[in-house]
Amino acid sequence: LIGLSVAFWLFYNNYDPKVFEQINWTWHSTFWMILAGISVCVRDLAYMVRIRVLTENELSWYRSFIVIMLWEFSSALAPGIIGGGFLFAIFILNREGINLGKSITFTSFLDGVFLAVMAPLVYFLVGKDALFSGVNVGQTSLGTSIYYSFWVVYFIILAYKLFIAYALFVNPHLIKSILVGVCSVPILKRFKKSAMDTGDQLIIASNGLRNKNVAYWMVSLLATFASWTARYSIVNCLIHAFHGQAALADLIVYAKQVIMGIIILLSPTPGGSGIAELIFTDFLGEFIHKGLAPTLGILWRLISYYPYLIVGAIILPRWIRERIVKKIF
């Protein structure tokens, strides 16, 4: 509701009927809208491939679909600032009878690898001015805060992923000892059990990853990059659909979404709702007909965000009956 309210507020303040009169819907537009739908499917299919690889095919394709839909549902409801649907994902796989330590920890690590690699890559390929055009970086306090917020969040992600990498591939037992030691301080004692559980998960994940072959790593990484690339390609397709036959700077549009994706992690709202719609207009408005950006922002979220709320709400009750209620009784 927060996201829709912000989106419609932006739409109301920027509405210009002449803009919609200028839209000439063609087969070109239809093609790009279909491609946007395909991008959504590729995003989820790549996630399914990855979860099957990480669980060594313990999950069937059907169960993989259920897990990914519930995972996306929980991520859409949980604020990015607290890790999205990470905790619920652990619960889901646990109820599916999966070795959750290896699967969840490595999945989180792979997602972090994508952001850690792509953010500086697009920054140096595209440049600061092109990436942050639309938010007046250096000219307003808001623009400057967005720029520095991006780098703060990026380096927090990078530090955390390097920490996980050390724990997974070098010395998980030391990391567990550090976590437990820190949480042995009187003021943090209530977190000691969680620290022990986290340390155990890291050890399980590390042991499970030591003897994996090249195919395992390649498929996992390719599926991760394919899923995130498809996720960010949705907006490119939508802009193409309403952009006409004119050339579009696809790399800049894609790069801006990488930056947006990292900034949205700061959002205290469910799934970045409200923040995502707001920065969409600022970051990408220059590539869209004046007055049309809020409408495309709504369309973007209707394709890439709200469907998971609907599908998750449909799947969740049955999954609870099958995986929780029946196991109790």
Side-chain angles (χ1 to χ4, degrees):
L1 289 178
I2 296 174
L4 282 177
S5 299
V6 171
F8 281 111
W9 175 79
L10 289 169
F11 174 81
Y12 176 79
N13 281 275
N14 292 273
Y15 176 72
D16 182 358
K18 293 182 180 179
V19 172
F20 293 92
E21 291 173 3
Q22 295 173 3
I23 296 175
N24 182 27
W25 192 267
T26 64
W27 282 108
H28 171 88
S29 305
T30 303
F31 168 77
W32 283 104
M33 288 300 295
I34 292 172
L35 209 57
I38 292 174
S39 295
V40 175
C41 295
V42 170
R43 163 188 167 176
D44 295 330
L45 180 60
Y47 270 147
M48 290 167 62
V49 169
R50 186 177 69 173
I51 200 66
R52 276 177 54 81
V53 170
L54 297 183
T55 58
E56 298 177 323
N57 295 329
E58 289 183 51
L59 289 175
S60 66
W61 284 106
Y62 173 70
R63 297 313 305 178
S64 297
F65 173 77
I66 296 297
V67 167
I68 294 303
M69 288 301 104
L70 290 176
W71 196 330
E72 291 288 353
F73 174 69
S74 62
S75 296
L77 291 177
I81 200 169
I82 64 169
F86 182 77
L87 295 177
F88 188 58
I90 293 177
F91 178 73
I92 293 170
L93 285 183
N94 183 40
R95 286 296 172 175
E96 291 288 339
I98 299 301
N99 182 333
L100 58 91
K102 178 176 64 179
S103 304
I104 292 294
T105 306
F106 192 46
T107 296
S108 173
F109 173 73
L110 288 172
D111 287 336
V113 167
F114 175 85
L115 292 175
V117 170
M118 290 305 297
L121 181 62
V122 298
Y123 182 85
F124 290 112
L125 281 177
V126 173
K128 174 183 174 181
D129 292 338
L131 272 181
F132 291 91
S133 58
V135 293
N136 298 315
V137 172
Q139 299 177 30
T140 66
S141 57
L142 175 62
T144 302
S145 65
I146 288 176
Y147 174 73
Y148 286 113
S149 294
F150 158 70
W151 283 115
V152 167
V153 176
Y154 170 75
F155 282 113
I156 290 173
I157 293 172
L158 182 62
Y160 176 67
K161 297 311 172 183
L162 289 174
F163 172 82
I164 295 296
Y166 181 83
L168 286 175
F169 306 114
V170 182
N171 195 339
H173 294 279
L174 174 61
I175 297 300
K176 179 184 177 180
S177 299
I178 292 173
L179 290 174
V180 173
V182 170
C183 292
S184 295
V185 176
I187 195 172
L188 299 174
K189 270 194 173 181
R190 59 175 176 166
F191 300 111
K192 187 173 182 178
K193 185 179 183 304
S194 296
M196 292 180 67
D197 290 341
T198 300
D200 289 337
Q201 288 177 30
L202 289 172
I203 292 171
I204 292 171
S206 180
N207 292 336
L209 293 170
R210 288 184 187 277
N211 299 316
K212 296 303 178 185
N213 56 31
V214 175
Y216 177 89
W217 298 103
M218 290 301 296
V219 174
S220 300
L221 282 169
L222 285 173
T224 299
F225 275 73
S227 182
W228 281 90
T229 299
R231 177 197 295 260
Y232 291 142
S233 295
I234 295 169
V235 170
N236 287 69
C237 294
L238 292 179
I239 294 177
H240 270 292
F242 293 88
H243 197 69
Q245 300 290 340
L248 177 66
D250 280 291
L251 178 59
I252 297 178
V253 173
Y254 179 88
K256 280 175 169 283
Q257 290 178 79
V258 175
I259 305 304
M260 287 167 56
I262 290 176
I263 293 173
I264 289 172
L265 292 176
L266 276 175
S267 172
T269 60
S273 188
I275 303 296
E277 290 82 0
L278 190 62
I279 67 176
F280 179 93
T281 300
D282 288 335
F283 267 80
L284 298 169
E286 64 186 285
F287 302 101
I288 305 168
H289 292 301
K290 185 175 175 60
L292 192 58
T295 305
L296 283 191
I298 295 173
L299 187 57
W300 166 53
R301 295 292 271 180
L302 286 175
I303 292 174
S304 64
Y305 175 71
Y306 292 104
Y308 295 107
L309 293 177
I310 297 170
V311 174
I314 294 172
I315 292 175
L316 185 60
R318 182 177 178 179
W319 182 83
I320 291 175
R321 289 196 301 269
E322 290 179 350
R323 299 295 173 181
I324 300 178
V325 177
K326 286 185 179 180
K327 289 188 176 182
I328 294 176
F329 298 100

